[in-house]
Amino acid sequence: MATINIDRTIYHDKPQNERLPKEMAVYDLLDNLKVEYSRLDHDATATIEYCVDVEKILGIEICKNLFLCNRQKTAFYLLMIPGGKKFHTKDLSKQINSARLSFADAEYMEKFLNITPGSVSVMGLMNDTENNVQLLIDSDVLKHEFFGCHPCINTSSLKIRTKDLLEKILPAIHHQPVIVEL
């Protein structure tokens, strides 16, 4: 099992030290919307497997966020699924009527979400002002009171109420999710 170095302090406010502007923008959004969150700082987590200790400390399951596109690269999707859940493109393709889904190139991730590989997060949708990316949420994510995600950088993890995502964050950033069953 992979492990990472973690500052085991759980914070409930934005960092006081210098961070990337895209990360600070997430905290500003959450604060402006009066969304409570818990934050944990750690080494970079490149895969969901590295999040095991983070999950234990925050008491949540970190969501796996997958950035997908159709074969023509004309439709883009951000899929939120529970971290331990297996993903099969054919199951999702049928539900959203999109043939041949695959992982989208990093250039589109950066262009639309201002996120680099390894840091994919629902919070990146705040940068998608032209709604180029459709949010897809697996119904199992909605069964939990909280979900976990990165603040657009994979050196911190957030614990946020699922209700706040649906009722405050997504309306504020003008993204309507499509609920899928995987």
Side-chain angles (χ1 to χ4, degrees):
M1 184 64 63
T3 61
I4 57 173
N5 291 320
I6 300 172
D7 170 0
R8 294 184 172 273
T9 306
I10 297 176
Y11 300 93
H12 299 283
D13 56 0
K14 68 172 122 182
Q16 300 305 310
N17 58 337
E18 191 168 327
R19 303 285 179 105
L20 291 174
K22 64 182 170 183
E23 179 182 3
M24 296 307 289
V26 171
Y27 303 121
D28 290 341
L29 173 69
L30 296 174
D31 290 347
N32 288 338
L33 296 174
K34 297 184 181 0
V35 171
E36 293 180 8
Y37 57 91
S38 298
R39 173 178 55 89
L40 197 63
D41 295 333
H42 48 73
D43 287 347
T45 56
T47 64
I48 197 72
E49 289 79 21
Y50 283 92
C51 295
V52 172
D53 291 335
V54 171
E55 291 177 329
K56 287 178 186 172
I57 295 168
L58 287 176
I60 54 167
E61 181 175 19
I62 301 287
C63 283
K64 192 180 330 183
N65 292 268
L66 305 176
F67 188 58
L68 308 166
C69 67
N70 63 359
R71 181 179 52 176
Q72 299 83 5
K73 298 182 181 172
T74 56
F76 295 87
Y77 307 93
L78 178 64
L79 172 63
M80 292 176 66
I81 62 173
K85 195 169 196 178
K86 297 281 187 211
F87 168 66
H88 301 285
T89 56
K90 65 177 177 136
D91 297 337
L92 180 59
S93 295
K94 289 177 189 174
Q95 289 184 55
I96 63 171
N97 296 317
S98 176
R100 294 211 160 162
L101 283 178
S102 63
F103 292 100
D105 296 332
E107 67 185 271
Y108 293 107
M109 187 184 306
E110 292 181 49
K111 178 181 176 182
F112 297 141
L113 304 177
N114 190 25
I115 294 179
T116 55
S119 298
V120 181
S121 169
V122 66
M123 299 309 297
L125 292 173
M126 67 187 280
N127 301 311
D128 181 29
T129 57
E130 295 181 13
N131 288 76
N132 291 297
V133 180
Q134 173 64 59
L135 176 61
L136 308 172
I137 303 177
D138 181 83
S139 62
D140 285 342
V141 171
L142 304 177
K143 294 176 183 175
H144 299 279
E145 182 179 1
F146 294 94
F147 75 98
C149 68
H150 292 307
C152 294
I153 190 75
N154 65 353
T155 53
S156 291
S157 293
L158 301 175
K159 175 182 180 178
I160 300 173
R161 286 189 190 286
T162 306
K163 180 178 179 179
D164 287 339
L165 174 68
L166 298 172
E167 296 177 8
K168 293 181 180 181
I169 299 168
L170 294 178
I173 61 175
H174 309 291
H175 278 77
Q176 182 67 33
V178 171
I179 309 306
V180 295
E181 304 273 341
L182 300 174

